[in-house]
Amino acid sequence: MKTSLYDIRPKPLNSCQPRSEEEFFKIDFHSDMATVIRIPPSEAQKDPQNTIPESQLINILTQHSIPTIKITALTTYLDTIGFTPKFARSIQNAFAKELGSTTISKSKWRGTIGEVSANSGGILPRRNLNSEKHNSPIFDSKYPRGRLVSVKTSSRATSNSNASINLDTYLNGLSDILGGNKSKLLKAAKQIYPLFMQPQQLIEVIKKSLLAVNDDHVKALQDALQDPANYKRKLYERIFNLALKQNPTWINGIKIDTYRILNSHINSVDEEASRKARTLFGSTTAFISKKIISNGITTEALNALEKFRYEIKKSNPGLTEAQIEKAILPEQILMARHGGGALGTARAAGIGGMRGAAAGAGISVFAEGALCIFNLPGDKSAYDCVIPASKAAAAGAAGGFTQGGMEVAVNSTIGGRISLGLASNNLASQLNWFLSKAPGTFAGSAIGGGAINMAFLALDDKPHSSVDYAAVGVRGAASSITGGLAAALATGVTGAICGSSVPVAGTIVGFIVGFGASWIAEKYYGAQVEEAVRSSLQE
């Protein structure tokens, strides 16, 4: 049965004066949420209906299992999944597929990786057309504003000479989106638009179409399309002819609908006709070039992921695709994408740290600013909250950066080895997510919790000794470790129930449980930990 706020409203205080040694809290009810604010004992009798002593508050929270969020600790217990980009969190299924030994099977594997990358970018959601129909014809994604995207990849690395890159895969893709195979394009359009019936409407589909290629191949392909010498090849000429059909043009009464006709005018002795033809060539190649976008992954990263997949299969020959999918961690993908080894780990940790810092600063400034404005005295303005919010942002960024970087670094190495090692053990795999994440969560929570507490101390404009910093740092680390490990355990258990290694449900449960555990830890032994550190350092 769902607990309503009416069920947890505090009992009115009796008429006797409250004990000065007990803390009191005022509860403001807002629909399905209640805000709890600490108030002085002298204020407790002014609003007895909404005022509650600390002991009663703890009993209510325990009895009804109500999750609580400690504002100053908000940044420290961000779920680890937030430290890795969306691509690394959504590629497990594609990455786990068998590479195969043929050129076609390898190309298909790389293509799937490219599709995941293309669908993972941007702020607004992108529609994965292949999830709706296996091997969707021509188009793989539908981007915001109705843009239709065909995704292609290539394992050929760029160099100083574009001639070393075989662009035929991309050129064939361009031919498809420009209507080179009209029946195939019509089939693709009908899948995306069920009410699409008229073949003449294909011109609108072509206008919306884009080709996503490797990030480092975008400029190489655009340069090749703008080079007149390449149009001696039939594939380039075909693409140009298809583009001309989208914008029919006449020069001296002659319809220009093929490259050969246009080229004859470019070489004409009629200077005006030649000028118009050159202008049309430039506008047509510009039209084609604008259809080239990045699929979000470089050739180097694509080859690095392929190499990493080979290494996993070689070192774990008994693992099935399903086991690899469950065992591989997002942090490992992030590390492998950036080259693997020590350099790849460092790059991945830097990305995790920057994402953690951004999240920590953003949440901290919002939480601290909102709390400050909410409790603002009548003689103060919102500008008085700027400095406290700025300090909270700095502390949140420090905690988020250290936690995010440390968790990604540990999980991409130690955690990844543990996860793969446990993958073949059916019993252990039920808690694989917790066991493999625990080292990173432990290290990240410890350093992140300590960092945010010490940052707050450094920004309070008061002199502090090294003992002060050590004491609050260890205190923050202790409560953070408790919350972090509880979150990882809750996420892992929910993952086993839901049948997914990275479930949304598990993330939510882990997030709430982590906050609850850290609140309990801070409440019941935070002060003892700090005092123990001070005593040991001052002896």
Side-chain angles (χ1 to χ4, degrees):
M1 184 178 70
K2 182 179 178 181
T3 301
S4 68
L5 290 180
Y6 180 81
D7 297 326
I8 66 169
R9 285 185 180 275
K11 298 177 181 179
L13 294 175
N14 55 39
S15 57
C16 65
Q17 187 69 19
R19 292 176 293 143
S20 59
E21 64 270 17
E22 185 169 21
E23 290 184 319
F24 284 80
F25 298 85
K26 181 180 179 181
I27 302 181
D28 288 337
F29 294 89
H30 315 278
S31 182
D32 288 334
M33 182 184 73
T35 304
V36 181
I37 306 171
R38 182 183 287 105
I39 62 173
S42 58
E43 300 292 322
Q45 291 293 337
K46 294 183 178 180
D47 188 10
Q49 292 294 330
N50 293 314
T51 302
I52 188 171
E54 181 182 23
S55 57
Q56 189 176 343
L57 174 63
I58 293 175
N59 287 337
I60 290 175
L61 295 176
T62 303
Q63 179 182 353
H64 296 285
S65 301
I66 300 173
T68 61
I69 298 176
K70 190 172 185 292
I71 290 294
T72 58
L74 190 57
T75 58
T76 310
Y77 310 108
L78 291 172
D79 190 56
T80 307
I81 201 170
F83 298 136
T84 53
K86 184 180 179 181
F87 171 79
R89 303 195 308 269
S90 55
I91 197 181
Q92 280 88 341
N93 177 265
F95 181 84
K97 300 297 182 184
E98 183 62 62
L99 272 167
S101 56
T102 66
T103 301
I104 294 178
S105 64
K106 292 178 181 178
S107 297
K108 184 178 180 181
W109 187 88
R110 298 188 198 105
T112 305
I113 299 298
E115 291 166 10
V116 174
S117 176
N119 284 319
S120 301
I123 299 175
L124 299 177
R126 298 174 177 182
R127 180 178 164 189
N128 183 0
L129 299 178
N130 287 307
S131 65
E132 300 173 10
K133 179 179 177 60
H134 178 66
N135 197 20
S136 172
I138 300 182
F139 300 112
D140 302 291
S141 303
K142 185 178 181 183
Y143 283 15
R145 301 197 302 274
R147 295 173 297 168
L148 304 174
V149 182
S150 175
V151 182
K152 301 294 181 182
T153 59
S154 173
S155 62
R156 303 281 186 99
T158 55
S159 69
N160 293 330
S161 173
N162 289 335
S164 66
I165 311 171
N166 186 345
L167 299 176
D168 285 4
T169 297
Y170 300 147
L171 295 172
N172 285 316
L174 271 174
S175 177
D176 284 342
I177 68 172
L178 289 172
N181 187 330
K182 197 169 184 179
S183 61
K184 187 178 180 180
L185 184 62
L186 184 61
K187 180 180 179 181
K190 287 183 177 180
Q191 177 188 316
I192 301 169
Y193 307 106
L195 299 179
F196 187 97
M197 296 298 293
Q198 302 300 323
Q200 57 265 33
Q201 291 178 293
L202 283 177
I203 190 170
E204 295 300 322
V205 174
I206 293 173
K207 286 181 179 179
K208 296 177 180 179
S209 65
L210 297 170
L211 181 73
V213 306
N214 290 12
D215 187 69
D216 53 321
H217 288 172
V218 172
K219 188 177 186 304
L221 181 56
Q222 290 175 336
D223 290 345
L225 289 167
Q226 293 171 7
D227 184 355
N230 286 327
Y231 289 92
K232 296 176 181 178
R233 289 188 58 196
K234 288 186 177 180
L235 188 51
Y236 280 89
E237 183 180 349
R238 183 185 187 196
I239 292 170
F240 196 93
N241 293 344
L242 291 169
L244 279 176
K245 292 181 179 179
Q246 305 307 310
N247 186 24
T249 305
W250 283 258
I251 297 178
N252 293 343
I254 299 175
K255 185 178 181 180
I256 310 298
D257 57 1
T258 68
Y259 174 76
R260 292 186 181 185
I261 297 176
L262 177 66
N263 192 48
S264 67
H265 282 77
I266 290 176
N267 298 320
S268 172
V269 294
D270 185 337
E271 293 185 2
E272 181 63 18
S274 178
R275 183 190 64 79
K276 289 181 179 179
R278 289 194 301 271
T279 301
L280 180 57
F281 176 84
S283 63
T284 303
T285 55
F287 168 79
I288 302 171
S289 296
K290 287 180 180 179
K291 290 191 170 295
I292 311 301
I293 63 173
S294 170
N295 59 23
I297 192 168
T298 64
T299 309
E300 181 184 9
L302 190 65
N303 291 335
L305 287 170
E306 184 176 350
K307 179 182 177 182
F308 184 48
R309 180 64 178 84
Y310 271 121
E311 291 174 350
I312 289 178
K313 183 62 178 178
K314 184 178 179 180
S315 57
N316 303 275
L319 293 185
T320 64
E321 290 182 11
Q323 288 173 323
I324 291 176
E325 180 182 352
K326 288 184 178 181
I328 201 71
L329 300 182
E331 293 86 351
Q332 288 178 283
I333 295 292
L334 187 61
M335 176 268 293
R337 179 175 181 171
H338 290 278
L343 182 59
T345 301
R347 289 173 175 173
I351 293 173
M354 294 304 295
R355 290 173 65 87
I363 293 177
S364 291
V365 72
F366 175 79
E368 185 67 27
L371 188 63
C372 178
I373 293 174
F374 190 81
N375 293 321
L376 203 64
D379 58 341
K380 300 288 185 179
S381 69
Y383 291 105
D384 294 300
C385 295
V386 172
I387 293 179
S390 299
K391 290 181 178 181
F401 181 84
T402 52
Q403 183 180 3
M406 180 60 72
E407 286 203 23
V408 169
V410 175
N411 286 338
S412 65
T413 51
I414 298 173
R417 294 191 188 99
I418 293 174
S419 184
L420 286 168
L422 293 172
S424 59
N425 187 326
N426 293 328
L427 178 62
S429 65
Q430 297 302 309
L431 291 177
N432 194 350
W433 190 252
F434 167 68
L435 295 173
S436 57
K437 288 278 190 177
T441 301
F442 183 93
S445 297
I447 192 172
I452 193 171
N453 272 15
M454 289 189 288
F456 270 116
L457 197 66
L459 295 170
D460 68 358
D461 299 325
K462 297 177 182 179
H464 297 287
S465 66
S466 58
V467 174
D468 293 330
Y469 284 104
V472 298
V474 173
R475 176 176 182 169
S479 58
S480 297
I481 290 170
T482 303
L485 291 179
L489 177 60
T491 303
V493 171
T494 308
I497 295 172
C498 297
S500 171
S501 57
V502 195
V504 174
T507 301
I508 295 172
V509 171
F511 193 66
I512 294 175
V513 172
F515 274 120
S518 63
W519 185 87
I520 294 172
E522 173 68 19
K523 174 66 183 176
Y524 288 101
Y525 64 76
Q528 290 90 327
V529 170
E530 180 178 343
E531 184 59 34
V533 174
R534 290 184 183 278
S535 299
S536 61
L537 293 178
Q538 289 173 346
E539 289 179 354

